[in-house]
C-alpha cells in the first residue's frame, strides 16, 4: 500500500528530482568532503538554486512552497542516500530552525515579528542551539541564561555539538529565563552579534561534511523582538502535542529516521551490486547463503523501517495521539537498522568495504551518529517503556 506521499504525483516528482540531483551533483566530491571534513557552501546553496529546496515547508507569504514538513523529510531521505552529512546540515536548517521558528509563532496564534519573517525569507545557513556540555538528553538542566534588561535580554552560556555552528548566520537558542525548572525561552540570534562566538568545527567520526561546533555567549545582547513565542514558553512549545502536528523534537526524530532509511537503501544498493558481480569459487557471491542472509535481512529491515517511517509521518500530520510514541519508536528502529545494514554491507564487500574505495564505510560512520543525536536510543527506550506501562496502568 502506497503512502500519501508516494501516491501524490507532485511529491513523487520532487523526491525523484532530489534523488537524481543528489546522485549527479551531490555525489561529486562527497568522499573528498568527508576526508577533508569540509562543508561546501556552493553545493549547499545549489540545493536551493537548482531545486528550490530551502523553505519548501513554509507558506508562500514567507517565500516558501507551502508543501509541508513531510515533503522536507522525504527530500532528506533521498539526499541521505548520497551524502548524509550535507543532508544533516539541510535538516538543521529546514527542520530545526525554519520549521520550528514558523511553527512556534503559528502554535501561539501570534503574528510573527518582521525580523523573524525577514530571516526566513533570506535563507541564511542556520541551526538550533539546545545541547550544552552538561545538558544533552536532560534539556531542563541547561545553564545558558537570558536575563531581561532595558530593550532586550543578555545571554550567557555555552552550547555544544550544534550543527552548522561554525558556518551559521542565524540560530534558535534555548536559554533559561527564570528560576523555575521549566522557565526556558527561545530566541532568534543572528551572527555576527557582539558577545557571540562561533567555535571551530569539531573533528568527528562521521557526518564530516556537516560542521558541528560550539556557540559561546558572553554578555550577548539581543533585542526584545529576538524572543520567539512566549517568555518561559520554550519547553511547552518544544514538547507540545497539538492536534494538527507533532512539534519539534518528534519531528526531528522522524527526520533522523528518514536519514537512516536513506543510508540503509544506499548500502543495500551497493551490497546487491557487489554481490552480483563479485565472484568466488566460480560463481557470484550472491549465491552463497551467508551473503543471501545479509541481503534478505537487510532488505526486510529497510522496507519495514520505511513503511514505519511513512506511517508515522502520516500520523503526525493527522495529529493522531500515538504520534509521540511512534516517533520515538521509528527513530529507534530505523537508526538501529541503518547501523546493522551498513555494517553488513562492509562485511559483504570485505576488504573493499573496509577501505575508502566504496561509500559503505563512510555511510556506516554517518549512521552511528543517528542513534545519538535527537535523543539517544537509550533515552527513546526509556520513553517508550514509560509510555507503554503508563497506558497499561490506565
Amino acid at each position: 500500500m502506497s503512502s500519501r506521499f508516494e501516491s501524490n504525483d507532485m511529491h513523487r516528482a520532487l523526491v525523484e528530482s532530489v534523488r537524481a540531483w543528489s546522485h549527479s551533483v551531490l555525489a561529486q566530491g562527497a568522499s573528498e568532503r568527508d576526508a577533508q571534513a569540509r562543508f561546501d557552501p556552493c553545493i549547499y546553496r545549489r540545493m536551493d538554486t537548482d531545486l528550490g529546496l530551502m523553505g519548501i515547508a513554509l507558506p508562500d507569504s514567507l517565500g516558501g512552497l507551502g508543501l509541508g514538513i513531510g515533503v522536507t523529510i522525504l527530500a532528506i531521505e533521498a539526499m541521505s542516500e548520497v551524502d548524509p552529512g550535507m543532508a544533516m546540515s539541510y535538516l538543521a536548517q529546514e527542520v530545526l530552525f525554519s520549521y520550528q521558528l514558523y511553527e512556534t509563532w503559528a502554535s501561539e496564534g501570534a503574528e510573527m515579528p518582521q525580523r523573524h519573517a525577514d530571516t526566513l525569507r533570506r535563507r541564511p545557513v542556520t541551526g538550533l542551539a539546545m545541547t550544552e556540555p552538561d545538558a544533552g538528553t536532560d534539556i531542563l538542566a541547561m545553564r545558558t541564561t537570558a536575563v531581561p534588561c532595558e530593550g532586550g535580554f543578555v545571554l550567557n552560556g555555552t552550547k555544544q555539538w550544534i550543527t552548522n555552528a561554525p558556518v551559521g548566520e542565524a540560530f534558535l537558542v534555548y536559554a533559561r529565563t527564570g528560576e523555575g525548572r521549566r522557565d526556558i525561552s527561545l530566541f532568534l540570534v543572528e551572527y555576527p552579534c557582539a558577545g557571540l562566538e562561533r567555535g571551530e568545527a569539531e573533528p568527528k567520526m562521521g557526518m564530516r561534511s556537516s560542521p558541528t561546533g560550539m556557540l559561546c555567549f558572553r554578555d550577548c545582547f539581543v533585542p526584545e523582538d529576538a524572543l520567539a513565542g512566549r517568555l518561559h514558553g520554550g519547553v511547552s512549545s518544544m514538547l507540545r502535542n497539538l492536534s494538527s502536528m507533532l512539534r519539534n523534537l518528534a519531528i526531528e526524530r522522524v527526520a533522523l529516521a528518514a536519514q537512516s532509511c536513506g543510508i540503509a537503501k544506499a548500502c543495500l544498493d551497493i551490497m546487491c551490486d557487489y554481490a552480483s558481480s563479485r565472484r568466488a569459487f566460480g560463481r557470484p557471491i550472491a549465491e552463497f547463503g551467508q551473503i543471501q542472509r545479509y541481503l534478505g535481512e537487510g532488505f526486510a529491515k529497510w522496507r519495514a523501517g520505511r513503511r514505519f517511517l511513512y506511517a508515522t509521518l502520516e500520523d503526525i500530520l493527522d495529529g493522531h495521539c500515538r504520534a509521540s510514541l511512534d516517533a520515538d519508536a521509528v527513530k529507534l528502529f530505523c537508526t538501529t537498522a541503518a547501523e546493522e545494514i551498513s555494517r553488513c554491507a562492509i562485511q559483504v564487500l570485505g576488504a573493499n568495504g573496509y577501505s575508502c574505495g566504496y561509500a559503505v564505510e563512510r555511510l556506516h560512520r554517518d549512521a552511528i551518529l543517528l542513534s545519538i543525536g535527537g535523543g539517544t536510543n537509550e533515552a527513546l527506550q526509556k520513553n517508550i517503556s514509560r509510555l507503554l506501562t503508563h497506558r497499561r496502568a490506565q
Side-chain angles (χ1 to χ4, degrees), residues 42-58:
C42 295
I43 291 289
Y44 189 73
R45 286 299 178 193
R46 287 187 64 179
M47 295 181 193
D48 203 28
T49 57
D50 292 0
L51 298 171
L53 287 182
M54 303 298 184
I56 58 175
L58 300 178

Side-chain angles (χ1 to χ4, degrees), residues 12 17 33 36 40 58 86-87 109 122 128 144 153 198 203 223 233 270 283 289-290 302 318 338 350 359 366 373:
R12 189 168 61 248
S17 295
R33 290 192 296 272
Q36 299 166 8
D40 188 332
L58 300 178
M86 292 295 278
R122 190 162 47 87
L128 174 70
T144 297
F153 300 83
R198 301 183 307 188
I270 295 170
R283 53 186 176 143
Q290 302 98 317
W302 167 72
D318 293 338
D366 289 347

Side-chain angles (χ1 to χ4, degrees), residues 20 41 98 106-107 109 113 119 124 130 164 171 194 239 241 269-270 273 287 294 299 378:
S98 296
S107 65
T119 299
M130 183 189 303
N164 292 342
F171 302 94
L239 302 177
N241 232 356
D269 290 344
I270 295 170
D273 290 344
E287 295 183 8
Y294 291 138
F299 176 80
E378 292 78 12

Side-chain angles (χ1 to χ4, degrees), residues 10-25:
M10 181 174 63
H11 293 174
R12 189 168 61 248
L14 186 144
V15 170
E16 286 308 313
S17 295
V18 174
R19 180 170 287 111
W21 180 87
S22 297
H23 282 274
S24 64
V25 176

Side-chain angles (χ1 to χ4, degrees), residues 4 241-247 250 310-327 391:
R4 77 169 69 157
N241 232 356
L242 298 180
S243 59
S244 62
M245 188 76 71
L246 182 65
R247 309 300 185 197
Y310 282 24
T312 302
L313 188 53
E314 290 192 7
D315 281 348
I316 289 173
L317 295 174
D318 293 338
H320 291 174
C321 62
R322 282 183 55 89
S324 179
L325 175 63
D326 286 348
R391 289 182 178 184

